[in-house]
Amino acid sequence: MKDWRAAVARISPRERRAIALGASLLLAAWVFFRIVPWSARQVAQLRARADLANGALVRARAAEAGEPTARESLAVRGRELVALAPKLLGGTTSAEAAAELSSLVGGTASLRHVRITQQDARSDSGASIFTRVSMRISADGDAGGIGGWLADLEEGPRLIEVRSLAISSPEPAAPGNQPERLHADVVIDGWASLRGTR
């Protein structure tokens, strides 16, 4: 201990100033290379957080400003869905909806004197609110009967669409005094809501 004090006592004031200056320079360099970059990173992170918060605030204000429009649009869509409900096929299963579509097709065909020779119904297996029921149909009839039958299906009380139609003449050389018999291959789509009753 005495040796240390004796060594310090032998240092001249000029040497003490040089040591103090060196220590100050070392401390300044440490602050510059360690503290300043750390502080800059902290400031950059704070700015990024502030930008995120500002963006969220802008989006929240925009959503709040658009809320009346969104509510009105939702109400309009709800009314459209309610108005659409009576046009959907009935039933709580795909098979029941396909049976109703088959009944509509057969009943309308008999009114127009169209003979159904084959029909095959299929429904989408998706878990959507609305389920599409498709039916492939082969039928025979005259031009007026087939045209009226398809028009009755599309314009009837249920939401039915003729997706494809192919017409051929099974007897192109038939006598002119008989009405021409045509063969139609048709694919129709009907829509059902299977999540409850209409």
Side-chain angles (χ1 to χ4, degrees), residues 148-164:
W149 168 58
L150 296 176
D152 289 347
L153 287 174
E154 281 201 324
E155 296 168 6
R158 296 289 183 257
L159 189 60
I160 296 173
E161 174 188 17
V162 176
R163 189 161 36 116
S164 71

Side-chain angles (χ1 to χ4, degrees), residues 62-73:
E64 184 181 10
E67 182 182 359
T69 305
R71 283 181 191 257
E72 182 179 322
S73 177

Side-chain angles (χ1 to χ4, degrees), residues 89 99-109 149 153 157-158 160:
L89 297 169
E100 182 178 348
L101 181 59
S102 178
S103 175
L104 284 169
V105 166
T108 308
W149 168 58
L153 287 174
R158 296 289 183 257
I160 296 173

Side-chain angles (χ1 to χ4, degrees), residues 67-162:
E67 182 182 359
T69 305
R71 283 181 191 257
E72 182 179 322
S73 177
L74 186 59
V76 168
R77 297 295 175 255
R79 286 193 295 272
E80 288 174 354
L81 283 174
V82 169
L84 185 65
K87 295 185 176 197
L88 298 174
L89 297 169
T92 56
T93 65
S94 298
E96 290 175 0
E100 182 178 348
L101 181 59
S102 178
S103 175
L104 284 169
V105 166
T108 308
S110 66
L111 291 174
R112 293 291 185 162
H113 305 290
V114 173
R115 184 173 63 94
I116 305 285
T117 58
Q118 182 180 359
Q119 64 182 14
D120 178 30
R122 293 187 180 144
S123 60
D124 287 345
S125 59
S128 175
I129 295 174
F130 300 108
T131 300
R132 180 173 62 187
V133 180
S134 295
M135 183 173 283
R136 293 184 178 278
I137 307 162
S138 294
D140 294 326
D142 61 11
I146 290 175
W149 168 58
L150 296 176
D152 289 347
L153 287 174
E154 281 201 324
E155 296 168 6
R158 296 289 183 257
L159 189 60
I160 296 173
E161 174 188 17
V162 176

